[in-house]
Amino acid sequence: MNLEIRRGLPGASAESDIAGEMQLLDDVLSTPERGVLRLWRTSPCLVVTPLLAHRPEFAAAAEASAQRGWPVVVRRTGGGPVPQTSGTLNVSLAYATPREAVPGIDAAFRQFADAMLAALGRCGVMGAVGEIEGSCCPGRYDIAIDSRKIIGIAQRRRQGAKQGQLLSAVLVHAMVWAEGTLDPEIDHLERFLEEAGAPARFRRDVMGTLQEISGVSADALAAALRQSFAGAR
C-alpha cells in the first residue's frame, strides 16, 4: 500500500485533534490509491464515547473535569473511557478499498495489531495481544507487555465512492501509553466517571506505559512504527 505518513503535535484543543482523526476517512475515500498513517499527540484529556455523553449528569461532570484541567472529549470510534496523557502516542491508519475487497473487522484489527507488535519487536520488546481485564477500555486486541496493557485499539468505517466505484474506508486507531505514568490520570478518570453517574474502578497493576515497563521512548517507537506500517498490507 502506498502510504502517506503524517505527524501531529497537540493542536488548538484536544477536541480538534481527535475530530481530525475522522477526516482521515474522507481523505482516503477521495484518494483510495493512498493510505494514511498519522502519528500524533494531543493535550491531556479524558476521552469517552457517545453512550456516556447521553447520561443526564454528563454535562456538569464534564464541566467540573475541565475546570480541573482535564477536558472531556467524545470520540466516534468504539471502546470505553480512557485518559489521553501528555505521554500518549496515537497511531491512526486509514485506507480505502473496493467494497468487495475490504477486510473483515477482525482481520483489520489483526493486521493492525501485527504491525504494532512488529514495531515493538524492532524496539526489542515482546508484546502480547488479548483482553486485559480491569484495565481502561478492555478489548480483545489490547496489547500488553508482561501482562500490563500499554495499547488499546479501536476501529471505524465509512462508505463512499469514486468514479463510480463503491469503496469502504477503514480507520484503525491505537492509543499507546508511551511515556510517564498513569496513576494521577486514572484518578482523574475515576473521579469524572463517579460524577457522571457511571462509577468505575480500574486496576493500576494491569496497566502501564511503554517507557515505564521497557525503557523504550515514544520517539523510538514512532520510528519503528513508520518502518512496520510501510511494509504492512
Side-chain angles (χ1 to χ4, degrees):
M1 174 172 55
N2 183 17
L3 194 65
E4 174 190 351
I5 297 177
R6 302 178 185 175
R7 304 174 192 177
L9 295 174
S13 68
E15 186 173 19
S16 64
D17 290 337
I18 291 170
E21 190 174 42
M22 292 297 104
Q23 179 61 42
L24 299 180
L25 290 166
D26 291 330
D27 291 350
V28 296
L29 284 171
S30 66
T31 56
E33 66 277 6
R34 183 188 69 222
V36 176
L37 176 68
R38 182 188 182 209
L39 304 176
W40 56 283
R41 295 176 182 259
T42 190
S43 51
C45 64
L46 306 179
V47 183
V48 303
T49 58
L51 183 63
L52 183 60
H54 290 152
R55 298 188 67 88
E57 306 95 335
F58 176 81
E63 175 62 25
S65 183
Q67 291 296 322
R68 295 191 291 267
W70 284 87
V72 178
V73 180
V74 180
R75 70 180 180 194
R76 294 173 63 187
T77 50
V82 292
Q84 282 268 354
T85 76
S86 58
T88 296
L89 174 66
N90 293 284
V91 183
S92 303
L93 176 69
Y95 55 91
T97 68
R99 289 190 192 176
E100 66 274 11
V102 67
I105 290 173
D106 278 334
F109 271 131
R110 184 73 250 181
Q111 291 165 357
F112 185 91
D114 284 347
M116 296 294 297
L117 291 173
L120 289 172
R122 290 175 185 272
C123 297
V125 177
M126 179 175 293
V129 175
E131 183 169 336
I132 303 298
E133 294 185 8
S135 68
C136 296
C137 190
R140 289 186 296 124
Y141 291 94
D142 290 342
I143 295 179
I145 303 171
D146 295 335
S147 299
R148 296 175 67 188
K149 176 177 176 175
I150 63 163
I151 299 172
I153 303 177
Q155 188 173 160
R156 181 82 176 184
R157 297 184 174 215
R158 184 175 296 167
Q159 306 300 318
K162 184 177 182 182
Q163 298 177 342
Q165 184 179 44
L166 298 178
L167 300 170
S168 290
V170 178
L171 169 68
V172 192
H173 166 258
M175 185 197 70
V176 185
W177 288 319
E179 296 176 333
T181 62
L182 293 178
D183 283 348
E185 292 81 1
I186 300 299
D187 290 343
H188 284 291
L189 177 61
E190 289 181 342
R191 181 174 179 182
F192 162 73
L193 292 173
E194 180 78 28
E195 294 170 348
R201 291 291 180 266
F202 304 103
R203 290 179 54 192
R204 275 48 168 192
D205 63 318
V206 298
M207 296 177 285
T209 69
L210 174 65
Q211 189 173 53
E212 175 189 22
I213 299 169
S214 68
V216 175
S217 70
D219 286 345
L221 177 62
L225 287 166
R226 291 191 290 272
Q227 293 178 302
S228 290
F229 278 99
R233 288 183 52 80

mmCIF file with all atom_site columns, all heavy atoms in Angstrom, residues 54-80:
data_model
loop_
_atom_site.group_PDB
_atom_site.id
_atom_site.type_symbol
_atom_site.label_atom_id
_atom_site.label_alt_id
_atom_site.label_comp_id
_atom_site.label_asym_id
_atom_site.label_entity_id
_atom_site.label_seq_id
_atom_site.pdbx_PDB_ins_code
_atom_site.Cartn_x
_atom_site.Cartn_y
_atom_site.Cartn_z
_atom_site.occupancy
_atom_site.B_iso_or_equiv
_atom_site.pdbx_formal_charge
_atom_site.auth_seq_id
_atom_site.auth_comp_id
_atom_site.auth_asym_id
_atom_site.auth_atom_id
_atom_site.pdbx_PDB_model_num
ATOM 1   N N   . HIS A 1 54 ? -24.597 10.729 26.791 1.00 0.00 ? 54 HIS A N   1
ATOM 2   C CA  . HIS A 1 54 ? -26.064 10.849 26.861 1.00 0.00 ? 54 HIS A CA  1
ATOM 3   C C   . HIS A 1 54 ? -26.596 10.816 28.290 1.00 0.00 ? 54 HIS A C   1
ATOM 4   O O   . HIS A 1 54 ? -27.782 11.052 28.504 1.00 0.00 ? 54 HIS A O   1
ATOM 5   C CB  . HIS A 1 54 ? -26.720 9.733  26.044 1.00 0.00 ? 54 HIS A CB  1
ATOM 6   C CG  . HIS A 1 54 ? -26.530 9.892  24.559 1.00 0.00 ? 54 HIS A CG  1
ATOM 7   N ND1 . HIS A 1 54 ? -26.509 8.833  23.681 1.00 0.00 ? 54 HIS A ND1 1
ATOM 8   C CD2 . HIS A 1 54 ? -26.331 10.994 23.807 1.00 0.00 ? 54 HIS A CD2 1
ATOM 9   C CE1 . HIS A 1 54 ? -26.316 9.266  22.451 1.00 0.00 ? 54 HIS A CE1 1
ATOM 10  N NE2 . HIS A 1 54 ? -26.204 10.582 22.503 1.00 0.00 ? 54 HIS A NE2 1
ATOM 11  N N   . ARG A 1 55 ? -25.747 10.555 29.248 1.00 0.00 ? 55 ARG A N   1
ATOM 12  C CA  . ARG A 1 55 ? -26.205 10.499 30.632 1.00 0.00 ? 55 ARG A CA  1
ATOM 13  C C   . ARG A 1 55 ? -26.568 11.904 31.126 1.00 0.00 ? 55 ARG A C   1
ATOM 14  O O   . ARG A 1 55 ? -25.890 12.886 30.783 1.00 0.00 ? 55 ARG A O   1
ATOM 15  C CB  . ARG A 1 55 ? -25.132 9.891  31.540 1.00 0.00 ? 55 ARG A CB  1
ATOM 16  C CG  . ARG A 1 55 ? -24.766 8.451  31.194 1.00 0.00 ? 55 ARG A CG  1
ATOM 17  C CD  . ARG A 1 55 ? -23.846 7.863  32.253 1.00 0.00 ? 55 ARG A CD  1
ATOM 18  N NE  . ARG A 1 55 ? -24.547 7.723  33.523 1.00 0.00 ? 55 ARG A NE  1
ATOM 19  C CZ  . ARG A 1 55 ? -25.264 6.660  33.878 1.00 0.00 ? 55 ARG A CZ  1
ATOM 20  N NH1 . ARG A 1 55 ? -25.362 5.630  33.050 1.00 0.00 ? 55 ARG A NH1 1
ATOM 21  N NH2 . ARG A 1 55 ? -25.866 6.615  35.039 1.00 0.00 ? 55 ARG A NH2 1
ATOM 22  N N   . PRO A 1 56 ? -27.611 12.033 31.945 1.00 0.00 ? 56 PRO A N   1
ATOM 23  C CA  . PRO A 1 56 ? -28.040 13.364 32.393 1.00 0.00 ? 56 PRO A CA  1
ATOM 24  C C   . PRO A 1 56 ? -26.996 14.109 33.210 1.00 0.00 ? 56 PRO A C   1
ATOM 25  O O   . PRO A 1 56 ? -26.970 15.346 33.219 1.00 0.00 ? 56 PRO A O   1
ATOM 26  C CB  . PRO A 1 56 ? -29.303 13.078 33.219 1.00 0.00 ? 56 PRO A CB  1
ATOM 27  C CG  . PRO A 1 56 ? -29.242 11.620 33.559 1.00 0.00 ? 56 PRO A CG  1
ATOM 28  C CD  . PRO A 1 56 ? -28.516 10.967 32.425 1.00 0.00 ? 56 PRO A CD  1
ATOM 29  N N   . GLU A 1 57 ? -26.113 13.383 33.882 1.00 0.00 ? 57 GLU A N   1
ATOM 30  C CA  . GLU A 1 57 ? -25.092 14.028 34.705 1.00 0.00 ? 57 GLU A CA  1
ATOM 31  C C   . GLU A 1 57 ? -23.851 14.436 33.915 1.00 0.00 ? 57 GLU A C   1
ATOM 32  O O   . GLU A 1 57 ? -22.931 15.069 34.473 1.00 0.00 ? 57 GLU A O   1
ATOM 33  C CB  . GLU A 1 57 ? -24.653 13.084 35.836 1.00 0.00 ? 57 GLU A CB  1
ATOM 34  C CG  . GLU A 1 57 ? -25.776 12.547 36.697 1.00 0.00 ? 57 GLU A CG  1
ATOM 35  C CD  . GLU A 1 57 ? -26.276 11.170 36.240 1.00 0.00 ? 57 GLU A CD  1
ATOM 36  O OE1 . GLU A 1 57 ? -26.113 10.852 35.032 1.00 0.00 ? 57 GLU A OE1 1
ATOM 37  O OE2 . GLU A 1 57 ? -26.791 10.434 37.097 1.00 0.00 ? 57 GLU A OE2 1
ATOM 38  N N   . PHE A 1 58 ? -23.818 14.067 32.617 1.00 0.00 ? 58 PHE A N   1
ATOM 39  C CA  . PHE A 1 58 ? -22.591 14.222 31.843 1.00 0.00 ? 58 PHE A CA  1
ATOM 40  C C   . PHE A 1 58 ? -22.118 15.670 31.753 1.00 0.00 ? 58 PHE A C   1
ATOM 41  O O   . PHE A 1 58 ? -20.940 15.963 31.987 1.00 0.00 ? 58 PHE A O   1
ATOM 42  C CB  . PHE A 1 58 ? -22.783 13.656 30.434 1.00 0.00 ? 58 PHE A CB  1
ATOM 43  C CG  . PHE A 1 58 ? -21.584 13.856 29.547 1.00 0.00 ? 58 PHE A CG  1
ATOM 44  C CD1 . PHE A 1 58 ? -20.499 13.006 29.619 1.00 0.00 ? 58 PHE A CD1 1
ATOM 45  C CD2 . PHE A 1 58 ? -21.540 14.910 28.640 1.00 0.00 ? 58 PHE A CD2 1
ATOM 46  C CE1 . PHE A 1 58 ? -19.381 13.199 28.818 1.00 0.00 ? 58 PHE A CE1 1
ATOM 47  C CE2 . PHE A 1 58 ? -20.428 15.109 27.830 1.00 0.00 ? 58 PHE A CE2 1
ATOM 48  C CZ  . PHE A 1 58 ? -19.350 14.247 27.922 1.00 0.00 ? 58 PHE A CZ  1
ATOM 49  N N   . ALA A 1 59 ? -22.986 16.589 31.396 1.00 0.00 ? 59 ALA A N   1
ATOM 50  C CA  . ALA A 1 59 ? -22.559 17.971 31.136 1.00 0.00 ? 59 ALA A CA  1
ATOM 51  C C   . ALA A 1 59 ? -21.908 18.588 32.368 1.00 0.00 ? 59 ALA A C   1
ATOM 52  O O   . ALA A 1 59 ? -20.835 19.211 32.280 1.00 0.00 ? 59 ALA A O   1
ATOM 53  C CB  . ALA A 1 59 ? -23.744 18.808 30.672 1.00 0.00 ? 59 ALA A CB  1
ATOM 54  N N   . ALA A 1 60 ? -22.542 18.434 33.530 1.00 0.00 ? 60 ALA A N   1
ATOM 55  C CA  . ALA A 1 60 ? -21.990 19.021 34.751 1.00 0.00 ? 60 ALA A CA  1
ATOM 56  C C   . ALA A 1 60 ? -20.673 18.353 35.123 1.00 0.00 ? 60 ALA A C   1
ATOM 57  O O   . ALA A 1 60 ? -19.715 19.023 35.542 1.00 0.00 ? 60 ALA A O   1
ATOM 58  C CB  . ALA A 1 60 ? -22.996 18.898 35.894 1.00 0.00 ? 60 ALA A CB  1
ATOM 59  N N   . ALA A 1 61 ? -20.605 17.042 34.961 1.00 0.00 ? 61 ALA A N   1
ATOM 60  C CA  . ALA A 1 61 ? -19.375 16.324 35.290 1.00 0.00 ? 61 ALA A CA  1
ATOM 61  C C   . ALA A 1 61 ? -18.243 16.734 34.346 1.00 0.00 ? 61 ALA A C   1
ATOM 62  O O   . ALA A 1 61 ? -17.087 16.890 34.772 1.00 0.00 ? 61 ALA A O   1
ATOM 63  C CB  . ALA A 1 61 ? -19.605 14.820 35.214 1.00 0.00 ? 61 ALA A CB  1
ATOM 64  N N   . ALA A 1 62 ? -18.553 16.904 33.063 1.00 0.00 ? 62 ALA A N   1
ATOM 65  C CA  . ALA A 1 62 ? -17.540 17.305 32.092 1.00 0.00 ? 62 ALA A CA  1
ATOM 66  C C   . ALA A 1 62 ? -17.029 18.713 32.392 1.00 0.00 ? 62 ALA A C   1
ATOM 67  O O   . ALA A 1 62 ? -15.825 18.991 32.273 1.00 0.00 ? 62 ALA A O   1
ATOM 68  C CB  . ALA A 1 62 ? -18.106 17.234 30.680 1.00 0.00 ? 62 ALA A CB  1
ATOM 69  N N   . GLU A 1 63 ? -17.927 19.607 32.781 1.00 0.00 ? 63 GLU A N   1
ATOM 70  C CA  . GLU A 1 63 ? -17.510 20.962 33.122 1.00 0.00 ? 63 GLU A CA  1
ATOM 71  C C   . GLU A 1 63 ? -16.604 20.964 34.337 1.00 0.00 ? 63 GLU A C   1
ATOM 72  O O   . GLU A 1 63 ? -15.574 21.651 34.367 1.00 0.00 ? 63 GLU A O   1
ATOM 73  C CB  . GLU A 1 63 ? -18.743 21.828 33.383 1.00 0.00 ? 63 GLU A CB  1
ATOM 74  C CG  . GLU A 1 63 ? -18.432 23.239 33.861 1.00 0.00 ? 63 GLU A CG  1
ATOM 75  C CD  . GLU A 1 63 ? -17.646 24.053 32.847 1.00 0.00 ? 63 GLU A CD  1
ATOM 76  O OE1 . GLU A 1 63 ? -17.736 23.759 31.638 1.00 0.00 ? 63 GLU A OE1 1
ATOM 77  O OE2 . GLU A 1 63 ? -16.921 24.979 33.284 1.00 0.00 ? 63 GLU A OE2 1
ATOM 78  N N   . ALA A 1 64 ? -16.944 20.170 35.348 1.00 0.00 ? 64 ALA A N   1
ATOM 79  C CA  . ALA A 1 64 ? -16.113 20.088 36.544 1.00 0.00 ? 64 ALA A CA  1
ATOM 80  C C   . ALA A 1 64 ? -14.738 19.513 36.209 1.00 0.00 ? 64 ALA A C   1
ATOM 81  O O   . ALA A 1 64 ? -13.710 19.986 36.722 1.00 0.00 ? 64 ALA A O   1
ATOM 82  C CB  . ALA A 1 64 ? -16.811 19.236 37.603 1.00 0.00 ? 64 ALA A CB  1
ATOM 83  N N   . SER A 1 65 ? -14.698 18.510 35.350 1.00 0.00 ? 65 SER A N   1
ATOM 84  C CA  . SER A 1 65 ? -13.425 17.915 34.957 1.00 0.00 ? 65 SER A CA  1
ATOM 85  C C   . SER A 1 65 ? -12.573 18.925 34.195 1.00 0.00 ? 65 SER A C   1
ATOM 86  O O   . SER A 1 65 ? -11.353 19.016 34.414 1.00 0.00 ? 65 SER A O   1
ATOM 87  C CB  . SER A 1 65 ? -13.665 16.671 34.103 1.00 0.00 ? 65 SER A CB  1
ATOM 88  O OG  . SER A 1 65 ? -12.451 16.030 33.771 1.00 0.00 ? 65 SER A OG  1
ATOM 89  N N   . ALA A 1 66 ? -13.196 19.688 33.308 1.00 0.00 ? 66 ALA A N   1
ATOM 90  C CA  . ALA A 1 66 ? -12.459 20.705 32.556 1.00 0.00 ? 66 ALA A CA  1
ATOM 91  C C   . ALA A 1 66 ? -11.864 21.754 33.487 1.00 0.00 ? 66 ALA A C   1
ATOM 92  O O   . ALA A 1 66 ? -10.731 22.216 33.287 1.00 0.00 ? 66 ALA A O   1
ATOM 93  C CB  . ALA A 1 66 ? -13.372 21.357 31.529 1.00 0.00 ? 66 ALA A CB  1
ATOM 94  N N   . GLN A 1 67 ? -12.606 22.114 34.514 1.00 0.00 ? 67 GLN A N   1
ATOM 95  C CA  . GLN A 1 67 ? -12.105 23.091 35.483 1.00 0.00 ? 67 GLN A CA  1
ATOM 96  C C   . GLN A 1 67 ? -10.877 22.549 36.226 1.00 0.00 ? 67 GLN A C   1
ATOM 97  O O   . GLN A 1 67 ? -10.028 23.318 36.675 1.00 0.00 ? 67 GLN A O   1
ATOM 98  C CB  . GLN A 1 67 ? -13.210 23.457 36.481 1.00 0.00 ? 67 GLN A CB  1
ATOM 99  C CG  . GLN A 1 67 ? -14.357 24.250 35.885 1.00 0.00 ? 67 GLN A CG  1
ATOM 100 C CD  . GLN A 1 67 ? -13.918 25.613 35.368 1.00 0.00 ? 67 GLN A CD  1
ATOM 101 O OE1 . GLN A 1 67 ? -13.081 26.279 35.979 1.00 0.00 ? 67 GLN A OE1 1
ATOM 102 N NE2 . GLN A 1 67 ? -14.475 26.024 34.242 1.00 0.00 ? 67 GLN A NE2 1
ATOM 103 N N   . ARG A 1 68 ? -10.784 21.238 36.331 1.00 0.00 ? 68 ARG A N   1
ATOM 104 C CA  . ARG A 1 68 ? -9.618  20.624 36.982 1.00 0.00 ? 68 ARG A CA  1
ATOM 105 C C   . ARG A 1 68 ? -8.460  20.425 35.999 1.00 0.00 ? 68 ARG A C   1
ATOM 106 O O   . ARG A 1 68 ? -7.426  19.845 36.347 1.00 0.00 ? 68 ARG A O   1
ATOM 107 C CB  . ARG A 1 68 ? -10.011 19.274 37.597 1.00 0.00 ? 68 ARG A CB  1
ATOM 108 C CG  . ARG A 1 68 ? -11.018 19.375 38.732 1.00 0.00 ? 68 ARG A CG  1
ATOM 109 C CD  . ARG A 1 68 ? -11.173 18.055 39.469 1.00 0.00 ? 68 ARG A CD  1
ATOM 110 N NE  . ARG A 1 68 ? -11.815 17.020 38.679 1.00 0.00 ? 68 ARG A NE  1
ATOM 111 C CZ  . ARG A 1 68 ? -13.122 16.758 38.683 1.00 0.00 ? 68 ARG A CZ  1
ATOM 112 N NH1 . ARG A 1 68 ? -13.937 17.496 39.443 1.00 0.00 ? 68 ARG A NH1 1
ATOM 113 N NH2 . ARG A 1 68 ? -13.625 15.790 37.947 1.00 0.00 ? 68 ARG A NH2 1
ATOM 114 N N   . GLY A 1 69 ? -8.638  20.866 34.766 1.00 0.00 ? 69 GLY A N   1
ATOM 115 C CA  . GLY A 1 69 ? -7.583  20.734 33.771 1.00 0.00 ? 69 GLY A CA  1
ATOM 116 C C   . GLY A 1 69 ? -7.670  19.496 32.915 1.00 0.00 ? 69 GLY A C   1
ATOM 117 O O   . GLY A 1 69 ? -6.733  19.197 32.163 1.00 0.00 ? 69 GLY A O   1
ATOM 118 N N   . TRP A 1 70 ? -8.816  18.785 32.987 1.00 0.00 ? 70 TRP A N   1
ATOM 119 C CA  . TRP A 1 70 ? -8.999  17.574 32.212 1.00 0.00 ? 70 TRP A CA  1
ATOM 120 C C   . TRP A 1 70 ? -10.297 17.665 31.400 1.00 0.00 ? 70 TRP A C   1
ATOM 121 O O   . TRP A 1 70 ? -11.330 17.159 31.808 1.00 0.00 ? 70 TRP A O   1
ATOM 122 C CB  . TRP A 1 70 ? -9.021  16.343 33.134 1.00 0.00 ? 70 TRP A CB  1
ATOM 123 C CG  . TRP A 1 70 ? -7.649  15.994 33.585 1.00 0.00 ? 70 TRP A CG  1
ATOM 124 C CD1 . TRP A 1 70 ? -6.989  16.491 34.665 1.00 0.00 ? 70 TRP A CD1 1
ATOM 125 C CD2 . TRP A 1 70 ? -6.747  15.117 32.927 1.00 0.00 ? 70 TRP A CD2 1
ATOM 126 N NE1 . TRP A 1 70 ? -5.730  15.974 34.732 1.00 0.00 ? 70 TRP A NE1 1
ATOM 127 C CE2 . TRP A 1 70 ? -5.545  15.121 33.687 1.00 0.00 ? 70 TRP A CE2 1
ATOM 128 C CE3 . TRP A 1 70 ? -6.825  14.322 31.786 1.00 0.00 ? 70 TRP A CE3 1
ATOM 129 C CZ2 . TRP A 1 70 ? -4.435  14.360 33.319 1.00 0.00 ? 70 TRP A CZ2 1
ATOM 130 C CZ3 . TRP A 1 70 ? -5.724  13.552 31.432 1.00 0.00 ? 70 TRP A CZ3 1
ATOM 131 C CH2 . TRP A 1 70 ? -4.552  13.578 32.191 1.00 0.00 ? 70 TRP A CH2 1
ATOM 132 N N   . PRO A 1 71 ? -10.246 18.348 30.231 1.00 0.00 ? 71 PRO A N   1
ATOM 133 C CA  . PRO A 1 71 ? -11.443 18.418 29.393 1.00 0.00 ? 71 PRO A CA  1
ATOM 134 C C   . PRO A 1 71 ? -11.878 17.038 28.942 1.00 0.00 ? 71 PRO A C   1
ATOM 135 O O   . PRO A 1 71 ? -11.061 16.114 28.834 1.00 0.00 ? 71 PRO A O   1
ATOM 136 C CB  . PRO A 1 71 ? -10.996 19.282 28.210 1.00 0.00 ? 71 PRO A CB  1
ATOM 137 C CG  . PRO A 1 71 ? -9.513  19.166 28.192 1.00 0.00 ? 71 PRO A CG  1
ATOM 138 C CD  . PRO A 1 71 ? -9.084  19.007 29.621 1.00 0.00 ? 71 PRO A CD  1
ATOM 139 N N   . VAL A 1 72 ? -13.172 16.895 28.677 1.00 0.00 ? 72 VAL A N   1
ATOM 140 C CA  . VAL A 1 72 ? -13.748 15.614 28.258 1.00 0.00 ? 72 VAL A CA  1
ATOM 141 C C   . VAL A 1 72 ? -14.112 15.715 26.782 1.00 0.00 ? 72 VAL A C   1
ATOM 142 O O   . VAL A 1 72 ? -14.797 16.651 26.365 1.00 0.00 ? 72 VAL A O   1
ATOM 143 C CB  . VAL A 1 72 ? -14.990 15.267 29.102 1.00 0.00 ? 72 VAL A CB  1
ATOM 144 C CG1 . VAL A 1 72 ? -15.609 13.952 28.631 1.00 0.00 ? 72 VAL A CG1 1
ATOM 145 C CG2 . VAL A 1 72 ? -14.609 15.180 30.582 1.00 0.00 ? 72 VAL A CG2 1
ATOM 146 N N   . VAL A 1 73 ? -13.656 14.754 25.995 1.00 0.00 ? 73 VAL A N   1
ATOM 147 C CA  . VAL A 1 73 ? -13.877 14.751 24.551 1.00 0.00 ? 73 VAL A CA  1
ATOM 148 C C   . VAL A 1 73 ? -14.613 13.469 24.165 1.00 0.00 ? 73 VAL A C   1
ATOM 149 O O   . VAL A 1 73 ? -14.254 12.381 24.614 1.00 0.00 ? 73 VAL A O   1
ATOM 150 C CB  . VAL A 1 73 ? -12.539 14.835 23.783 1.00 0.00 ? 73 VAL A CB  1
ATOM 151 C CG1 . VAL A 1 73 ? -12.790 14.833 22.277 1.00 0.00 ? 73 VAL A CG1 1
ATOM 152 C CG2 . VAL A 1 73 ? -11.769 16.082 24.199 1.00 0.00 ? 73 VAL A CG2 1
ATOM 153 N N   . VAL A 1 74 ? -15.644 13.604 23.337 1.00 0.00 ? 74 VAL A N   1
ATOM 154 C CA  . VAL A 1 74 ? -16.408 12.451 22.852 1.00 0.00 ? 74 VAL A CA  1
ATOM 155 C C   . VAL A 1 74 ? -15.803 11.986 21.536 1.00 0.00 ? 74 VAL A C   1
ATOM 156 O O   . VAL A 1 74 ? -15.637 12.775 20.603 1.00 0.00 ? 74 VAL A O   1
ATOM 157 C CB  . VAL A 1 74 ? -17.890 12.810 22.656 1.00 0.00 ? 74 VAL A CB  1
ATOM 158 C CG1 . VAL A 1 74 ? -18.670 11.599 22.140 1.00 0.00 ? 74 VAL A CG1 1
ATOM 159 C CG2 . VAL A 1 74 ? -18.495 13.315 23.964 1.00 0.00 ? 74 VAL A CG2 1
ATOM 160 N N   . ARG A 1 75 ? -15.466 10.709 21.441 1.00 0.00 ? 75 ARG A N   1
ATOM 161 C CA  . ARG A 1 75 ? -14.877 10.166 20.220 1.00 0.00 ? 75 ARG A CA  1
ATOM 162 C C   . ARG A 1 75 ? -15.901 9.312  19.488 1.00 0.00 ? 75 ARG A C   1
ATOM 163 O O   . ARG A 1 75 ? -16.885 8.837  20.071 1.00 0.00 ? 75 ARG A O   1
ATOM 164 C CB  . ARG A 1 75 ? -13.645 9.329  20.547 1.00 0.00 ? 75 ARG A CB  1
ATOM 165 C CG  . ARG A 1 75 ? -13.955 8.023  21.252 1.00 0.00 ? 75 ARG A CG  1
ATOM 166 C CD  . ARG A 1 75 ? -12.706 7.229  21.545 1.00 0.00 ? 75 ARG A CD  1
ATOM 167 N NE  . ARG A 1 75 ? -13.013 5.983  22.220 1.00 0.00 ? 75 ARG A NE  1
ATOM 168 C CZ  . ARG A 1 75 ? -12.097 5.240  22.826 1.00 0.00 ? 75 ARG A CZ  1
ATOM 169 N NH1 . ARG A 1 75 ? -10.844 5.614  22.825 1.00 0.00 ? 75 ARG A NH1 1
ATOM 170 N NH2 . ARG A 1 75 ? -12.446 4.114  23.424 1.00 0.00 ? 75 ARG A NH2 1
ATOM 171 N N   . ARG A 1 76 ? -15.653 9.059  18.227 1.00 0.00 ? 76 ARG A N   1
ATOM 172 C CA  . ARG A 1 76 ? -16.594 8.302  17.401 1.00 0.00 ? 76 ARG A CA  1
ATOM 173 C C   . ARG A 1 76 ? -16.117 6.891  17.088 1.00 0.00 ? 76 ARG A C   1
ATOM 174 O O   . ARG A 1 76 ? -16.832 6.130  16.447 1.00 0.00 ? 76 ARG A O   1
ATOM 175 C CB  . ARG A 1 76 ? -16.876 9.072  16.110 1.00 0.00 ? 76 ARG A CB  1
ATOM 176 C CG  . ARG A 1 76 ? -17.606 10.384 16.379 1.00 0.00 ? 76 ARG A CG  1
ATOM 177 C CD  . ARG A 1 76 ? -17.746 11.225 15.142 1.00 0.00 ? 76 ARG A CD  1
ATOM 178 N NE  . ARG A 1 76 ? -18.552 10.552 14.120 1.00 0.00 ? 76 ARG A NE  1
ATOM 179 C CZ  . ARG A 1 76 ? -18.712 11.025 12.876 1.00 0.00 ? 76 ARG A CZ  1
ATOM 180 N NH1 . ARG A 1 76 ? -18.115 12.147 12.530 1.00 0.00 ? 76 ARG A NH1 1
ATOM 181 N NH2 . ARG A 1 76 ? -19.453 10.381 12.015 1.00 0.00 ? 76 ARG A NH2 1
ATOM 182 N N   . THR A 1 77 ? -14.910 6.545  17.512 1.00 0.00 ? 77 THR A N   1
ATOM 183 C CA  . THR A 1 77 ? -14.508 5.139  17.441 1.00 0.00 ? 77 THR A CA  1
ATOM 184 C C   . THR A 1 77 ? -15.017 4.447  18.702 1.00 0.00 ? 77 THR A C   1
ATOM 185 O O   . THR A 1 77 ? -15.437 5.096  19.650 1.00 0.00 ? 77 THR A O   1
ATOM 186 C CB  . THR A 1 77 ? -12.977 5.015  17.351 1.00 0.00 ? 77 THR A CB  1
ATOM 187 O OG1 . THR A 1 77 ? -12.372 5.805  18.372 1.00 0.00 ? 77 THR A OG1 1
ATOM 188 C CG2 . THR A 1 77 ? -12.476 5.481  15.993 1.00 0.00 ? 77 THR A CG2 1
ATOM 189 N N   . GLY A 1 78 ? -14.984 3.129  18.706 1.00 0.00 ? 78 GLY A N   1
ATOM 190 C CA  . GLY A 1 78 ? -15.563 2.377  19.810 1.00 0.00 ? 78 GLY A CA  1
ATOM 191 C C   . GLY A 1 78 ? -14.673 2.359  21.033 1.00 0.00 ? 78 GLY A C   1
ATOM 192 O O   . GLY A 1 78 ? -13.622 2.985  21.084 1.00 0.00 ? 78 GLY A O   1
ATOM 193 N N   . GLY A 1 79 ? -15.132 1.612  22.032 1.00 0.00 ? 79 GLY A N   1
ATOM 194 C CA  . GLY A 1 79 ? -14.344 1.440  23.239 1.00 0.00 ? 79 GLY A CA  1
ATOM 195 C C   . GLY A 1 79 ? -14.956 2.122  24.442 1.00 0.00 ? 79 GLY A C   1
ATOM 196 O O   . GLY A 1 79 ? -16.089 2.602  24.398 1.00 0.00 ? 79 GLY A O   1
ATOM 197 N N   . GLY A 1 80 ? -14.186 2.173  25.530 1.00 0.00 ? 80 GLY A N   1
ATOM 198 C CA  . GLY A 1 80 ? -14.644 2.775  26.769 1.00 0.00 ? 80 GLY A CA  1
ATOM 199 C C   . GLY A 1 80 ? -13.848 4.020  27.095 1.00 0.00 ? 80 GLY A C   1
ATOM 200 O O   . GLY A 1 80 ? -12.982 4.447  26.336 1.00 0.00 ? 80 GLY A O   1
#
